[in-house]
Amino acid sequence: MRVIKIDSRNKVITEITLAKGVEAICEQLECGYFTCIDLPNGDALYLDDEGLLREEPIGAFMLQGYVQPLSGHGLIIGTDAETGESIDCKSSVHFIKGSVSFIPVQ
């Protein structure tokens, strides 16, 4: 499926193809546990649930409209409203690039 990856380490935002399943999400996020933030258009932002607890953080970013910094990589994945299944994201790379700013990790 088509998703958007927010790569905090390299400070780039790209469209990637992601296999379905928890393992693929964890691999891209470089984590063991993840959490989701619902976006207004029906997409969801997946994040490392323990990103703030890492001794050596990957990186961090701010998402327009969200009040706190987000630690680690992010994946924007579409959600089927009827089934809850993951699908191609609705967001465009251009829109996400305009909505994300990378911030220094302290």
Side-chain angles (χ1 to χ4, degrees):
M1 79 188 121
R2 183 184 70 79
V3 306
I4 297 172
K5 181 172 184 179
I6 302 166
D7 183 330
S8 292
R9 179 178 291 119
N10 298 307
K11 296 178 176 49
V12 295
I13 299 169
T14 56
E15 185 175 288
I16 64 169
T17 300
L18 184 71
K20 289 195 176 193
V22 172
E23 296 84 11
I25 294 170
C26 288
E27 182 180 325
Q28 287 296 319
L29 294 177
E30 299 180 41
C31 71
Y33 303 96
F34 59 84
T35 190
C36 300
I37 298 170
D38 291 330
L39 300 178
N41 69 350
D43 286 344
L45 173 61
Y46 287 65
L47 301 158
D48 180 352
D49 195 36
E50 298 178 331
L52 294 173
L53 302 175
R54 289 179 176 241
E55 285 186 35
E56 294 185 31
I58 291 174
F61 63 96
M62 294 291 297
L63 178 65
Q64 188 175 15
Y66 197 73
V67 297
Q68 69 185 49
L70 303 166
S71 183
H73 302 308
L75 288 175
I76 298 184
I77 302 176
T79 304
D80 184 311
E82 290 182 25
T83 66
E85 294 288 321
S86 295
I87 58 173
D88 289 347
C89 66
K90 296 177 185 103
S91 300
S92 71
V93 171
H94 178 74
F95 177 78
I96 298 303
K97 283 182 177 180
S99 301
V100 169
S101 56
F102 294 101
I103 57 175
V105 177
Q106 308 263 331

PDB file of all heavy atoms in Angstrom, residues 11 59-60 102-106:
ATOM      1  N   LYS A  11      15.702  13.600   7.903  1.00  0.00           N
ATOM      2  CA  LYS A  11      14.886  14.808   7.697  1.00  0.00           C
ATOM      3  C   LYS A  11      14.330  14.889   6.270  1.00  0.00           C
ATOM      4  O   LYS A  11      14.452  15.909   5.589  1.00  0.00           O
ATOM      5  CB  LYS A  11      15.685  16.057   8.059  1.00  0.00           C
ATOM      6  CG  LYS A  11      16.055  16.085   9.535  1.00  0.00           C
ATOM      7  CD  LYS A  11      16.877  17.297   9.868  1.00  0.00           C
ATOM      8  CE  LYS A  11      17.196  17.425  11.320  1.00  0.00           C
ATOM      9  NZ  LYS A  11      17.721  16.274  12.002  1.00  0.00           N
ATOM     10  N   GLY A  59      15.168  11.181  16.149  1.00  0.00           N
ATOM     11  CA  GLY A  59      14.905  12.538  15.684  1.00  0.00           C
ATOM     12  C   GLY A  59      13.512  12.938  16.138  1.00  0.00           C
ATOM     13  O   GLY A  59      12.827  12.165  16.817  1.00  0.00           O
ATOM     14  N   ALA A  60      13.084  14.112  15.748  1.00  0.00           N
ATOM     15  CA  ALA A  60      11.765  14.583  16.168  1.00  0.00           C
ATOM     16  C   ALA A  60      11.210  15.551  15.136  1.00  0.00           C
ATOM     17  O   ALA A  60      11.955  16.134  14.345  1.00  0.00           O
ATOM     18  CB  ALA A  60      11.850  15.250  17.538  1.00  0.00           C
ATOM     19  N   PHE A 102      10.983  19.586  11.047  1.00  0.00           N
ATOM     20  CA  PHE A 102      11.885  18.777  11.868  1.00  0.00           C
ATOM     21  C   PHE A 102      12.488  19.668  12.932  1.00  0.00           C
ATOM     22  O   PHE A 102      12.778  20.841  12.689  1.00  0.00           O
ATOM     23  CB  PHE A 102      12.967  18.146  10.989  1.00  0.00           C
ATOM     24  CG  PHE A 102      12.394  17.135  10.024  1.00  0.00           C
ATOM     25  CD1 PHE A 102      12.176  17.476   8.702  1.00  0.00           C
ATOM     26  CD2 PHE A 102      12.042  15.872  10.450  1.00  0.00           C
ATOM     27  CE1 PHE A 102      11.631  16.569   7.812  1.00  0.00           C
ATOM     28  CE2 PHE A 102      11.496  14.957   9.562  1.00  0.00           C
ATOM     29  CZ  PHE A 102      11.289  15.291   8.245  1.00  0.00           C
ATOM     30  N   ILE A 103      12.667  19.116  14.127  1.00  0.00           N
ATOM     31  CA  ILE A 103      13.204  19.889  15.234  1.00  0.00           C
ATOM     32  C   ILE A 103      14.399  19.169  15.839  1.00  0.00           C
ATOM     33  O   ILE A 103      14.506  17.940  15.755  1.00  0.00           O
ATOM     34  CB  ILE A 103      12.122  20.153  16.315  1.00  0.00           C
ATOM     35  CG1 ILE A 103      11.511  18.849  16.836  1.00  0.00           C
ATOM     36  CG2 ILE A 103      11.024  21.047  15.762  1.00  0.00           C
ATOM     37  CD1 ILE A 103      10.534  19.024  17.968  1.00  0.00           C
ATOM     38  N   PRO A 104      15.315  19.906  16.447  1.00  0.00           N
ATOM     39  CA  PRO A 104      16.489  19.278  17.064  1.00  0.00           C
ATOM     40  C   PRO A 104      16.089  18.440  18.277  1.00  0.00           C
ATOM     41  O   PRO A 104      15.134  18.749  18.984  1.00  0.00           O
ATOM     42  CB  PRO A 104      17.375  20.445  17.484  1.00  0.00           C
ATOM     43  CG  PRO A 104      16.628  21.684  17.205  1.00  0.00           C
ATOM     44  CD  PRO A 104      15.334  21.351  16.552  1.00  0.00           C
ATOM     45  N   VAL A 105      16.845  17.374  18.486  1.00  0.00           N
ATOM     46  CA  VAL A 105      16.614  16.514  19.648  1.00  0.00           C
ATOM     47  C   VAL A 105      17.611  16.907  20.717  1.00  0.00           C
ATOM     48  O   VAL A 105      18.814  17.045  20.457  1.00  0.00           O
ATOM     49  CB  VAL A 105      16.811  15.028  19.276  1.00  0.00           C
ATOM     50  CG1 VAL A 105      16.644  14.145  20.488  1.00  0.00           C
ATOM     51  CG2 VAL A 105      15.833  14.633  18.187  1.00  0.00           C
ATOM     52  N   GLN A 106      17.145  17.104  21.925  1.00  0.00           N
ATOM     53  CA  GLN A 106      18.001  17.537  23.023  1.00  0.00           C
ATOM     54  C   GLN A 106      18.410  16.370  23.891  1.00  0.00           C
ATOM     55  O   GLN A 106      17.668  15.549  24.228  1.00  0.00           O
ATOM     56  CB  GLN A 106      17.255  18.556  23.862  1.00  0.00           C
ATOM     57  CG  GLN A 106      16.692  19.676  23.039  1.00  0.00           C
ATOM     58  CD  GLN A 106      17.539  20.904  23.000  1.00  0.00           C
ATOM     59  OE1 GLN A 106      18.264  21.188  23.922  1.00  0.00           O
ATOM     60  NE2 GLN A 106      17.479  21.644  21.915  1.00  0.00           N
TER      61      GLN A 106
END
